[in-house]
Structures are given as C-alpha cells and as structure tokens.
Amino acid sequence: MSATGHVLPHRRAQILPTLVLLIGSIYCLVPVAWVLVASTKSSGELFSTFTFAPGTGLLDNLRDLFTYGNGLYLRWTANSVLYAVAGSAASTLISTLAGYALAKYEFRGRNILFYAILAGVLVPGMTLAIPQYLIMSEIDLVGGYWSVLLPGLISPFGIYLARVYAMASVPDATMEAARIDGAGEYRIFGSIGLPMMIPGMVTIFLLQFVGTWNNFLLPYIMLSDETKFPITVGLYTLLSKGSGQPVLYGIAIVGAAVSVIPLIALLLFLQRFWRLDLLSGGLKG
C-alpha cells in the first residue's frame, strides 16, 4: 500500500488469485470438515443437530464400525491396502520401465507408440470398466482379487510422467560414459537411471495409490463377495442399507473419516523423497 492509502497495482494483481485459491480451498475442505464433525454424532444427533455442531457419539461410532460384521471394516481396509499397495507398486515399476525406454532408446514406432499411450490418458476409466469386465469374465477372473489388480497395472498417465521425468533427470552423457566403461543396459538402468528417477516414481506411486484407494466403479462391477470389497464399495453397501437401519449411516460416515487417515500418512511419509530431491538439486547447482 502506498503512502496515500491506495493499493499498489502489483498488490491488486495478487488479490484475485489469492481469493480464487481461498474459495477453492474452502470448497475442498468443507466436505472433509463435515465428515469429521458428522463422525462424532450419534444416529439421533446426526439428523437433529446443527450440521457443524460436534456430537457425543464418536467412541460409540468407532466401536460399532470395527465390530460391524465381525470386523468386516478391517477386512475391507486390508483389501484396499492390497489393491492400492500391490497394484500401485507394480504399475509404478511398469510405468518406469516403459517411460525410461520411450525416453532413452530409439526404435521403430517409438513416437506412434507414445502417442497411442498418450491418447489413453484421454479415455475415462468409466468407459473401460465394462470392456474390462468382459475380458476378465472370458478368462474366469471375475470375482477375485486379480480382477481388480490387473486392469490397473498399465497407467498411460504414469508412463507419460515417467517418460517426461526420465528425459529431464537421466543425462544421456552419463549413460554413454557408463557404456564406455563396459556397463550393460540393465546395469545402467539399475545403477544410474532408477536412482535418478526415484522422485518421479514416488509421484507416480502416490497418484496411483490415491486413484486405486478411491476407486469405486471397477471393484463394484468385478466383485460380488463382500469379504473382498475395498473400503469404497463396503461403505457404499452400508449407505444402501442405511434406509432400513439408520444407525448404519453413522458407521458409514465414521468409516469414511477413518479411510482418509492412510492417505494422509502416506503423503506425510513420501514427501521426504521430494525434499531430498530438492536438496540434491540445490547442492548440484
């Protein structure tokens, strides 16, 4: 602000982006705040008290959640961990290998293959769910864990990110020097390419983990046994039964609140790798 009390032009230019970000953050955080507050309310308080007024039923809701169906929620959590961790780790490795090859090797049809993969980014997952179900049905995998794991192994967006990161982080000169020293391509990838791509791999893994953890349509179509449901489908079944048993609404809401905890923990754990990458970049500079 100037001495005359007027807002300087560059200050005015910062106000609008700040307001947009503030409104966007409120828009994203209000539903989360509602879930956290609603999880503290009993079934009676949920429909009779002010929306954002805390309740007194948190401990009862947690007890009901973990005892429902003889610990069925814990089974859903274990299933989600299996789908998200195993599927994301395998998808990250495949994306890294494919992205590295597309970035660092010349071969016939490379650009055509890359653009075909890039086109896959534009295809919504909802569009692929039914064809994937038909394919899994043909090979008798519908209803099992593999029917949820296999369709997520190939991630066009993950391959695209890996290719971009490999091009930026793995110097061609370093690879050529390793070849001159007699290193093979597998050793170059394992000793040079892979360590340099770890921050990019962490990003791909996190995106895949969040997408798989929150995935609803694919497991909903593929699975019929509730003991194999992930959290998303399991909570949906609770909500669908809630019209006949209102107490299940409170269980579903506190279940949704608890299901966010692994995502927050994963983000806090993985951010150390981004910090290490920034520090190493600063030291190199």
Side-chain angles (χ1 to χ4, degrees), residues 24-35:
S25 62
I26 293 174
Y27 176 81
C28 294
L29 291 176
V30 165
V32 177
W34 182 88
V35 169

Side-chain angles (χ1 to χ4, degrees), residues 12-223:
R12 288 199 300 267
Q14 295 175 354
I15 293 176
L16 181 59
T18 302
L19 288 176
V20 171
L21 291 175
L22 181 62
I23 294 172
S25 62
I26 293 174
Y27 176 81
C28 294
L29 291 176
V30 165
V32 177
W34 182 88
V35 169
L36 294 177
V37 172
S39 65
T40 67
K41 298 184 179 183
S42 64
S43 56
E45 294 171 335
L46 187 61
F47 300 102
S48 60
T49 60
F50 176 66
T51 301
F52 289 100
T56 59
L58 177 61
L59 296 180
D60 291 334
N61 289 339
L62 289 172
R63 184 189 68 247
D64 293 340
L65 174 68
F66 292 112
T67 57
Y68 172 78
N70 295 321
L72 196 55
Y73 182 81
L74 294 176
R75 184 63 181 268
W76 293 341
T77 302
N79 292 336
S80 290
V81 170
L82 172 64
Y83 298 139
V85 174
S88 300
S91 178
T92 300
L93 180 59
I94 293 173
S95 297
T96 302
L97 291 170
Y100 178 85
L102 289 170
K104 294 301 174 182
Y105 295 107
E106 294 282 349
F107 54 88
R108 183 177 298 177
R110 183 182 73 162
N111 290 333
I112 295 175
L113 178 61
F114 173 69
Y115 290 129
I117 293 173
L118 195 59
V121 178
L122 306 177
V123 180
M126 185 179 300
T127 306
L128 300 175
I130 299 302
Q132 288 169 345
Y133 174 83
L134 296 176
I135 293 173
M136 292 297 163
S137 179
E138 287 292 327
I139 56 179
D140 295 326
L141 289 180
V142 169
Y145 292 110
W146 286 109
S147 64
V148 179
L149 287 169
L150 287 179
L153 293 183
I154 306 299
S155 170
F157 188 62
I159 294 173
Y160 169 74
L161 286 180
R163 178 182 181 270
V164 171
Y165 199 86
M167 292 179 65
S169 64
V170 183
D172 292 335
T174 304
M175 296 176 62
E176 287 298 327
R179 293 189 182 105
I180 293 173
D181 289 339
E185 297 302 324
Y186 291 107
R187 185 177 180 183
I188 291 173
F189 173 73
S191 301
I192 298 175
L194 198 61
M196 290 182 174
M197 293 182 65
I198 285 179
M201 293 174 64
V202 170
T203 302
I204 296 171
F205 178 83
L206 180 60
L207 294 176
Q208 284 293 109
F209 186 96
V210 173
T212 305
W213 186 271
N214 293 328
N215 192 11
F216 169 79
L217 183 61
L218 182 66
Y220 179 74
I221 292 176
M222 295 291 184
L223 303 175

Side-chain angles (χ1 to χ4, degrees), residues 238-255:
L238 286 179
L239 287 175
S240 63
K241 297 176 183 178
S243 57
Q245 298 175 272
V247 67
L248 295 181
Y249 281 126
I251 298 177
I253 291 172
V254 74

